Amino acid sequence: MANTWGYGAMTNHLGDIQNSKSIFIIGASPAVNHPVGFRHFLKAKENNGAKLIVVDPRYTRTAAKADYYASIRPGTDIPFMYGMMNIIFENGWEDTKFINDRVYGMDEIRKEASKWTPEVVADVCGVSEDLLYEITKVFATNKPGCVVWAMGLTQHTIGSSNTRIASILQLVTGNMGKSGGGCNILRGHDNVQGASDMANAPDSLPGYYAKNETTWKYFAKMWKVDYEWLQGNFVKPEWMFKPGFTLARWWAGSLNGKDGNDAIENAGDSLKALFVIGNGITSTAQQVKVQEGLDALELLVLADPFVNEAGIITNKKDNVYLLPATSQFENSGTVVATNRSGQWRSKISNAMYESKPDHEILFELAKRLGFYDELTRTIRDENGNIEWPEAATREIASIVKSIGLTGWTPERLKRHQEHWDKFDEKTLLGKPGTPVEGEYYGLPWPCWTQNHPGSPILYDIDTPVVRGGMGFRNRFGLEHNGVSQLAAKGSAPVDGAINDGYPEITKANIEAVLGITLTDEEREKMGASWATDDSGIIAEKCMQKGIAPYGNARARAVVWTFVDQIPLHREPIHSPRQDLVEKYPSFEDKPNHYRVHTQYKSLQLSKNFSKEFPINLVTARLVNMSGAGMETRASKYLARLTPEMFADIHPELAKQHLLNDGDMIWIHSPEGTKIKVKARIVPSVQPDMIFLPFHFTGVMQGVDMSGNFPEGTKPYAIGESANTVTNYGYDIVTQIPETKGGLCRIEKA
């Protein structure tokens, strides 16, 4: 069970934003969530004359710095961006050559965009036609322009479509693969990108390798274990290839379809034990269900430097174990930044008291489960001693070819750490005459070989492959509906041996595609494809020819394997506009969605929720807090800034309910849950909306559970969780929860 709230890899990097002429932020507030990184946005405005555009339901601190701000109704990002495209196509502002040479399926996008006239967008999104036109013109005519998003775009039932439409906007404008352009998806926590890369998602192996027989056998070979032994650890052989539960809905596995809960597909059994390591599951949606799921477990183990509050909100009285884990300062190894850069961190303190590093805890668990020798086989020296973390870093570099981690040796990453001040912040390039000359900071992946400098900007064909350039990946075949999926002539990275599109490189085609002849020894050593070639020969041969190993294809605007082949607007399951629900209904229910039956249309159409719950509910972060708040609420200085849970309410809405600033209110959700919080009356939210920060827990529906904290561990601030009242709803592809679009009602306590 895992999830990292996946919302895409950043194509460019924070420093590169300084090269932008327009910055379009939708579903993010970097001034609050990434305050240090936000200086790059301000530098772009000050030094490059960049126009800052912010689209958000709530007037945020980021919006306060914007040149243009639009408040849209939650869950209407797709109509807004289609509305932009409608205007772009009408005025001929699209990049026709880029589209013709490097994109597949744009005609379908044009057709859908034609439906979203400014008048229709104004009705659905709640913005004026004039503002939509002004924002579109500024973004489309000030290039390069970048698009920035985070969880405000992804945490919807249509979150995957939201991220696709934002990327398509960049394809329409030709901003992809350009310095100052691209899609800058801001990761929310330290090493989220690294966790995603290392398969903290339930449907893939490390490096996003698919769970199929070919890749499992490749990993078995690289891990030096027997494939049949590996498969024998699953309840049945076929379960080796199935996705697991997600972080969002692990609790459904524990509840096992009982008492009206969604049915599960879990080999006929329920989830009995949960081992949580470094994850604040109290920041996920449906906290009452999380509590019920925790209560139903036979075993709960929580490994964390602070008390993980999953152990506080549960009513379980036995078999709950808190394992003290060390912090990052007592460990060394790599993390991966939001821009795909690897960063080495050095241990600065030994473990205190009885705490242990994460890897030692997992090693001990492996011993008890009987596969410690297999787990550590590749990270031992000739004397049998564990080499940590250097050997683990080398193992990752040797295996993960799929995203190009071959160049991430511990020696290179340590050298970058030592000389971090010798890189240019706008380009990431190591300065001349220094030990890191010609390399990009953190060797952003793909870093194809141990001599490759890293790739600071994805899909850049104006840069040679050996310097970080590449086209779009050839991932979905050579043609679809009779149309070539390879890029057009003249659309290959410069200085390469091939000037047009080409397929991903395999052992079978490398000689024909690259125009080379392999030796018998090379053929013997070479893996079947660039992604499973442990010899590294394919990547080396490709670098010699200036060819990206993964091919050079067209970006897909049409995804024929998805329910919605192009992004379509679908109203949130709990929508305030019942008239639009009938016009833009949600998906058909999805059985066995990451092992859990997931409701969409059946729930959405079961009643008009807006009659009883007329208020939009949005959640987001506070600048002084992080995630579930376990660490930050344990700081008396940070907790003093926001010592209690609250709800932001517009003065007009407060007046309707006879509320004064500081009054206590009950917030009720369509799930039958409620929280009691203090009202903070501010004009930054719309009159039909309330805002909740999601960093609090310890109080559940008015019941103070802080007595469950072990003596001396209670944080300085506790409170109701916003996610007790966030609504049911999960993305159709990733199952990320719909916390950014829901309904509620309020009453004075």
Side-chain angles (χ1 to χ4, degrees):
M1 178 277 292
N3 202 321
T4 58
W5 305 134
Y7 30 90
M10 197 176 197
T11 65
N12 294 40
H13 57 91
L14 284 166
D16 184 62
I17 290 173
Q18 295 186 45
N19 297 312
S20 302
K21 298 298 289 186
S22 58
I23 305 168
F24 178 52
I25 303 175
I26 183 166
S29 182
V32 170
N33 300 343
H34 306 83
V36 177
F38 191 58
R39 70 187 184 89
H40 295 291
F41 295 75
L42 299 180
K43 283 187 175 184
K45 280 173 58 70
E46 180 179 353
N47 301 329
N48 208 34
K51 302 299 182 183
L52 183 61
I53 303 162
V54 174
V55 176
D56 198 295
R58 186 169 60 101
Y59 190 76
T60 63
R61 295 178 187 271
T62 304
K65 296 294 185 180
D67 298 291
Y68 303 90
Y69 166 67
S71 173
I72 64 171
R73 179 168 63 89
T76 62
D77 307 281
I78 289 173
F80 189 89
M81 284 183 271
Y82 266 134
M84 293 177 69
M85 291 182 210
N86 178 290
I87 294 169
I88 289 170
F89 290 135
E90 283 287 321
N91 287 275
W93 293 332
E94 72 271 30
D95 189 326
T96 304
K97 179 173 173 51
F98 187 99
I99 293 169
N100 291 342
D101 291 351
R102 302 187 66 191
V103 181
Y104 171 70
M106 191 58 77
D107 287 345
E108 294 299 313
I109 299 298
R110 284 180 181 269
K111 192 182 303 180
E112 181 65 22
S114 68
K115 303 173 185 177
W116 293 97
T117 63
E119 182 181 14
V120 175
V121 173
D123 174 52
V124 173
C125 298
V127 297
S128 73
E129 296 177 40
D130 290 343
L131 181 57
L132 174 64
Y133 182 88
E134 190 173 17
I135 284 174
T136 303
K137 182 177 181 180
V138 167
F139 182 69
T141 60
N142 286 273
K143 295 183 179 180
C146 69
V147 177
V148 178
W149 73 80
M151 291 186 292
L153 206 62
T154 61
Q155 292 189 346
H156 299 269
T157 53
I158 53 173
S160 296
S161 290
N162 283 345
T163 61
R164 288 173 60 205
I165 199 70
S167 301
I168 290 169
L169 177 62
Q170 291 297 71
L171 298 177
V172 168
T173 54
N175 277 314
M176 197 69 82
K178 305 293 184 182
S179 176
C183 296
N184 290 309
I185 305 113
L186 302 176
R187 294 300 204 175
H189 293 280
D190 186 32
N191 201 40
V192 166
Q193 185 64 56
S196 179
D197 295 347
M198 288 298 102
N200 278 347
D203 58 349
S204 64
L205 294 169
Y208 312 97
Y209 285 86
K211 286 183 174 178
N212 57 39
E213 185 174 345
T214 298
T215 53
W216 269 119
K217 286 184 174 178
Y218 169 66
F219 273 84
K221 173 187 175 183
M222 300 304 288
W223 287 337
K224 299 180 181 179
V225 298
D226 182 72
Y227 172 75
E228 284 69 28
W229 171 84
L230 199 58
Q231 191 173 58
N233 285 280
F234 291 83
V235 63
K236 294 178 181 178
E238 62 267 25
W239 282 84
M240 186 180 204
F241 311 115
K242 296 178 182 290
F245 290 103
T246 65
L247 173 63
R249 304 203 72 196
W250 68 265
W251 45 266
S254 174
L255 298 177
N256 198 14
K258 299 174 182 175
D259 301 323
N261 286 291
D262 289 332
I264 65 168
E265 300 266 349
N266 196 47
D269 205 353
S270 62
L271 188 68
K272 295 181 173 61
L274 183 67
F275 190 108
V276 181
I277 184 164
N279 190 294
I281 63 173
T282 52
S283 67
T284 61
Q286 305 262 46
Q287 280 298 290
V288 170
K289 291 298 182 184
V290 170
Q291 184 185 53
E292 292 175 7
L294 292 168
D295 292 349
L297 291 168
E298 294 180 13
L299 173 68
L300 174 61
V301 181
L302 305 163
D304 212 288
F306 295 81
V307 174
N308 189 310
E309 286 157 324
I312 304 306
I313 66 170
T314 180
N315 295 299
K316 276 181 66 64
K317 299 301 180 185
D318 56 7
N319 290 328
V320 178
Y321 296 90
L322 305 179
L323 303 184
T326 56
S327 70
Q328 61 176 326
F329 306 109
E330 297 147 288
N331 292 277
S332 59
T334 58
V335 295
V336 186
T338 188
N339 71 301
R340 300 166 283 107
S341 281
Q343 297 175 298
W344 190 270
R345 289 188 177 164
S346 299
K347 174 180 172 181
I348 63 172
S349 174
N350 291 324
M352 298 177 65
Y353 308 110
E354 296 177 329
S355 64
K356 289 183 179 295
D358 294 341
H359 65 278
E360 290 190 15
I361 293 173
L362 293 175
F363 287 162
E364 289 296 328
L365 179 62
K367 288 177 183 177
R368 307 304 196 274
L369 295 176
F371 61 89
Y372 174 72
D373 289 341
E374 289 84 356
L375 179 66
T376 60
R377 187 167 292 165
T378 58
I379 56 173
R380 293 179 177 276
D381 63 20
E382 56 188 20
N383 297 317
N385 299 313
I386 298 288
E387 290 187 291
W388 189 271
E390 286 79 5
T393 306
R394 291 191 186 94
E395 179 186 298
I396 291 169
S398 69
I399 296 176
V400 182
K401 312 295 182 184
S402 53
I403 54 174
L405 298 189
T406 302
W408 282 20
T409 64
E411 292 77 18
R412 294 184 84 189
L413 294 174
K414 286 180 181 181
R415 187 167 68 247
H416 281 217
Q417 179 201 40
E418 182 181 357
H419 299 285
W420 66 268
D421 59 320
K422 299 177 179 66
F423 294 89
D424 183 272
E425 73 172 18
K426 288 176 67 174
T427 65
L428 298 187
L429 193 60
K431 297 176 181 177
T434 70
V436 291
E437 178 180 356
E439 296 183 349
Y440 297 103
Y441 178 66
L443 305 168
W445 60 255
C447 183
W448 300 113
T449 69
Q450 293 190 15
N451 297 315
H452 194 270
S455 306
I457 298 174
L458 295 180
Y459 319 127
D460 174 14
I461 62 172
D462 298 319
T463 300
V465 170
V466 293
R467 300 300 311 155
M470 72 201 79
F472 293 114
R473 180 178 170 184
N474 173 224
R475 190 177 178 188
F476 304 103
L478 299 182
E479 68 169 43
H480 183 254
N481 287 341
V483 179
S484 173
Q485 293 301 294
L486 300 183
K489 192 172 183 62
S491 298
V494 296
D495 297 344
I498 303 174
N499 193 35
D500 54 8
Y502 49 86
E504 58 180 335
I505 307 303
T506 66
K507 183 176 183 177
N509 71 14
I510 186 170
E511 292 177 294
V513 175
L514 299 191
I516 62 174
T517 301
L518 299 173
T519 66
D520 291 341
E521 184 181 8
E522 287 171 335
R523 288 193 194 92
E524 178 67 24
K525 289 182 178 179
M526 187 179 289
S529 78
W530 63 277
T532 57
D533 177 27
D534 57 299
S535 73
I537 294 173
I538 289 179
E540 290 288 355
K541 297 293 185 183
C542 286
M543 293 303 105
Q544 291 168 16
K545 291 289 186 175
I547 299 300
Y550 71 17
N552 181 28
R554 296 176 184 270
R556 289 196 306 172
V558 172
V559 180
W560 51 87
T561 55
F562 280 9
V563 175
D564 286 345
Q565 294 194 13
I566 63 169
L568 297 176
H569 173 58
R570 295 178 182 271
E571 281 290 307
I573 287 179
H574 302 91
S575 169
R577 292 284 304 272
Q578 190 66 19
D579 59 321
L580 296 181
V581 167
E582 297 169 7
K583 192 172 183 180
Y584 308 107
S586 190
F587 305 95
E588 298 295 333
D589 290 5
K590 188 171 182 177
N592 196 13
H593 186 23
Y594 292 100
R595 304 196 184 189
V596 187
H597 181 93
T598 305
Q599 301 173 69
Y600 293 94
K601 191 185 290 185
S602 68
L603 178 58
Q604 185 188 51
L605 300 180
S606 64
K607 63 185 292 187
N608 182 351
F609 291 100
S610 63
K611 286 185 176 181
E612 186 180 352
F613 303 94
I615 303 169
N616 281 305
L617 173 67
V618 296
T619 68
R621 295 183 181 170
L622 302 173
V623 71
N624 59 305
M625 293 290 182
S626 177
M630 290 183 295
E631 299 94 337
T632 46
R633 285 184 288 104
S635 164
K636 64 181 179 182
Y637 303 105
L638 294 175
R640 184 178 295 174
L641 298 174
T642 48
E644 57 189 328
M645 178 60 175
F646 63 88
D648 279 352
I649 300 176
H650 191 276
E652 289 183 21
L653 185 61
K655 186 177 181 180
Q656 292 175 26
H657 290 270
L658 304 178
L659 295 174
N660 295 312
D661 192 63
D663 283 349
M664 298 301 293
I665 61 170
W666 283 103
I667 301 173
H668 297 264
S669 87
E671 313 308 321
T673 58
K674 63 182 180 178
I675 60 174
K676 186 179 181 181
V677 299
K678 181 172 285 190
R680 191 172 77 167
I681 301 175
V682 294
S684 59
V685 292
Q686 296 298 313
D688 61 350
M689 176 193 308
I690 66 169
F691 159 75
L692 298 173
F694 56 64
H695 310 289
F696 290 85
T697 189
V699 179
M700 289 288 289
Q701 302 193 94
V703 178
D704 186 344
M705 304 192 73
S706 62
N708 290 335
F709 279 100
E711 184 178 354
T713 65
K714 180 180 175 181
Y716 289 95
I718 62 167
E720 295 270 17
S721 170
N723 285 307
T724 299
V725 290
T726 47
N727 299 182
Y728 181 107
Y730 299 92
D731 178 71
I732 192 68
V733 177
T734 67
Q735 211 182 79
I736 196 171
E738 188 165 50
T739 62
K740 308 304 182 187
L743 297 176
C744 68
R745 65 178 170 86
I746 63 173
E747 62 183 32
K748 194 170 184 177

